[in-house]
Amino acid sequence: MSVLERKLEVEARIATVCRESGRQENDIKIIAVTKYVSLETTEQVLNIGLQHIGENRWQDVKPKWEALHERGTWHFLGHLQTNKVKDVIGKFTYIHSLDRMSLAKELDKQAAGLGIEVNCFLQVNISGEATKYGVSPHEFFQFAEEVSKLAHIRVCGLMTMAPYELESEETRPVFRGLRELRDQLNERRLFPYEVKELSMGMSGDFDVAIQEGATWVRLGTVLVGKEG
């Protein structure tokens, strides 16, 4: 199946879920996760009108970014080591994996040096899995309050990942939990603006994530396939 055929299938699924759950299709943005595909396939993704590219590791994405960065909007999705911030800052429009203060301070420092504001999602480990990164829900508000003091970070949303081994319906409490945290965050007015976005849902569970309020879905295999 071609990337275009997959795109049309995914868009049809999103349309169905939105219709059944009362969501608006234009509220759902697709990130094409290209970490397992080549530069050529990533270029195809852009050629068929998908604008948002998601990658996990700078050393892997570097040749793609150098060739294609002027064409798309780039999202850094993976765990970001503090010493790698200098590599990604200013290149990726969004960082989806802000999960600790040492990283927040380094992002703020590097962004200040460039005279920019960096859009970040606070990553929350809703499921509590030891293998997942992210701040725990009970530490979340303290973390958010500390991040709110950093002038060069704009928190645009929250991000989480559901356990891979769950059936899609079983992921619902994870996604609902993230939405509830976002709503509570806005009620507390820790930031001088509304935190709107929810980055949640991947190839196996994006339907449920959309039902629970996702605004960004991160789609790899179901959208771009997998090579090698």
Side-chain angles (χ1 to χ4, degrees):
M1 187 182 291
S2 70
V3 177
L4 178 58
E5 289 169 324
R6 288 194 189 94
K7 172 179 180 276
L8 294 173
E9 278 198 358
V10 163
E11 288 174 342
R13 282 177 64 181
I14 289 174
T16 298
V17 174
C18 287
R19 186 168 59 250
E20 292 174 350
S21 59
R23 300 286 310 276
Q24 297 296 315
E25 283 180 63
N26 58 10
D27 289 340
I28 317 300
K29 298 171 284 288
I30 297 171
I31 302 169
V33 181
T34 53
K35 63 181 179 177
Y36 293 125
V37 298
S38 64
L39 168 60
E40 291 72 26
T41 300
T42 304
E43 188 170 17
Q44 285 179 35
V45 168
L46 293 165
N47 288 345
I48 62 171
L50 290 164
Q51 294 297 313
H52 296 278
I53 302 295
E55 287 277 349
N56 279 42
R57 290 158 56 93
W58 171 245
Q59 53 267 49
D60 295 334
V61 69
K62 186 173 184 285
K64 299 178 193 177
W65 186 88
E66 289 174 345
L68 301 170
H69 71 274
E70 293 180 355
R71 297 188 50 195
T73 299
W74 294 71
H75 298 248
F76 192 88
L77 307 177
H79 180 68
L80 182 55
Q81 295 175 301
T82 305
N83 64 355
K84 299 292 185 184
V85 168
K86 63 185 183 301
D87 295 325
V88 306
I89 194 83
K91 299 182 179 74
F92 290 81
T93 304
Y94 296 93
I95 307 291
H96 286 243
S97 47
L98 177 51
D99 62 353
R100 60 200 188 280
M101 274 313 295
S102 58
L103 177 59
K105 289 176 180 177
E106 185 64 21
L107 283 165
D108 185 65
K109 174 185 168 184
Q110 296 283 348
L114 294 172
I116 64 171
E117 190 176 57
V118 58
N119 298 303
C120 293
F121 289 78
L122 303 182
Q123 182 173 355
V124 189
N125 185 355
I126 298 286
S127 67
E129 286 180 281
T131 55
K132 291 275 196 299
Y133 292 105
V135 64
S136 69
H138 74 270
E139 297 173 338
F140 170 73
F141 292 109
Q142 181 180 347
F143 177 58
E145 185 171 6
E146 291 178 13
V147 172
S148 73
K149 299 169 185 174
L150 301 175
H152 296 274
I153 289 180
R154 182 175 183 88
V155 173
C156 55
L158 309 186
M159 185 273 254
T160 199
M161 289 184 286
Y164 296 120
E165 65 276 7
L166 290 185
E167 295 295 323
S168 61
E169 183 58 34
E170 295 175 316
T171 64
R172 191 176 298 280
V174 174
F175 300 137
R176 183 172 293 164
L178 194 72
R179 171 169 50 84
E180 291 171 347
L181 271 186
R182 183 211 47 196
D183 294 347
Q184 292 166 26
L185 178 66
N186 286 320
E187 288 170 6
R188 295 188 184 205
R189 300 185 184 277
L190 294 182
F191 295 92
Y193 48 81
E194 185 181 3
V195 177
K196 295 182 178 181
E197 309 295 340
L198 291 174
S199 170
M200 60 188 194
M202 299 191 292
S203 289
D205 53 28
F206 71 90
D207 309 75
V208 175
I210 290 170
Q211 291 168 6
E212 291 298 333
T215 60
W216 292 93
V217 290
R218 310 182 303 269
L219 305 182
T221 310
V222 74
L223 182 63
V224 302
K226 186 173 179 178
E227 301 164 359

